[in-house]
Amino acid sequence: FRRVLFRSPTDSSTSPKHRLALLSPRRADRQWLGEALSSSYYRWVTDTLASSKLSERRRLASTETGLLLATGKEISALNEAYRGIAQETNVLAFPSMEWLEDGTLSLGDLVICPKIVRKEAKAQGKSTNDHFLHLLLHGMLHLFGYDHQTARQAKTMESREIAMLEKVGISNPYMESDS
């Protein structure tokens, strides 16, 4: 896959700097990426770094996240290879926290399946853009070590997601829709 880098806005309050490396630029839904590349995503990364238990060096580093927009077949193969589940899923996260040659800290890679995002958004009566942003945030939190394997972990992760989404005007994704 060819990497296309997007950098955080040149807002002086956005420190440290973050870049999103799009691994599948031909598949990019420009409307989704416009939302993803808004200052909201970068603010989420910065806020999560600041409150993380990472060392000060890692919290203050410039960072990068890889994003692959995958087909159903691709995400199903990855899901089977890494989780032993032979089916499509909405998002996969591959944390790394490794230093790149340029001194940037790689948070890891996210794989999101637009087909599943659209299907789930429609079934749940949600905006596709809002659902995409929720899954982008959900995956990013996985890169920072959040999980939902136990009820306690799920409550912690979901409350973090709800609060961060609320800041950008997206309602609680875990509430049942009236539609």
Side-chain angles (χ1 to χ4, degrees):
F1 294 103
R2 193 178 105 223
R3 289 174 89 82
V4 174
L5 297 177
F6 296 94
R7 299 186 192 286
S8 55
T10 55
D11 173 4
S12 60
S13 67
T14 309
S15 182
K17 298 294 181 198
H18 183 75
R19 64 186 183 215
L20 185 67
L22 185 62
L23 306 176
S24 54
R26 287 191 333 255
R27 298 184 194 150
D29 182 313
R30 297 196 189 287
Q31 187 176 8
W32 287 5
L33 286 179
E35 293 287 334
L37 300 176
S38 71
S39 60
S40 301
Y41 173 73
Y42 297 106
R43 189 175 30 223
W44 289 339
V45 172
T46 302
D47 290 352
T48 304
L49 273 169
S51 65
S52 73
K53 294 178 183 174
L54 296 174
S55 69
E56 183 176 8
R57 178 176 179 230
R58 288 176 184 243
R59 283 195 323 269
L60 298 176
S62 291
T63 54
E64 177 180 300
T65 301
L67 174 62
L68 172 65
L69 299 176
T71 65
K73 187 175 181 178
E74 289 169 334
I75 204 160
S76 182
L78 289 168
N79 202 18
E80 183 172 19
Y82 291 95
R83 297 178 62 223
I85 302 171
Q87 68 183 34
E88 295 175 350
T89 189
N90 51 20
V91 62
L92 292 171
F94 298 94
S96 72
M97 295 295 171
E98 295 178 1
W99 294 101
L100 302 177
E101 288 182 19
D102 67 358
T104 299
L105 179 64
S106 171
L107 301 178
D109 295 326
L110 299 176
V111 182
I112 295 179
C113 182
K115 172 184 147 185
I116 299 299
V117 173
R118 287 184 189 96
K119 182 178 170 182
E120 289 177 348
K122 184 177 181 180
Q124 297 169 17
K126 297 176 181 175
S127 151
T128 304
N129 289 343
D130 286 358
H131 192 49
F132 175 74
L133 278 174
H134 170 226
L135 294 174
L136 188 64
L137 171 60
H138 182 88
M140 187 207 56
L141 289 175
H142 277 303
L143 296 181
F144 281 98
Y146 287 81
D147 212 335
H148 43 81
Q149 295 299 311
T150 67
R152 185 177 181 177
Q153 290 174 334
K155 183 177 180 179
T156 299
M157 186 171 182
E158 288 174 10
S159 65
R160 182 78 192 238
E161 288 175 63
I162 292 164
M164 293 174 89
L165 289 167
E166 187 178 81
K167 289 180 182 178
V168 295
I170 298 175
S171 61
N172 180 346
Y174 298 103
M175 287 181 54
E176 292 295 320
S177 170
D178 292 334
S179 50

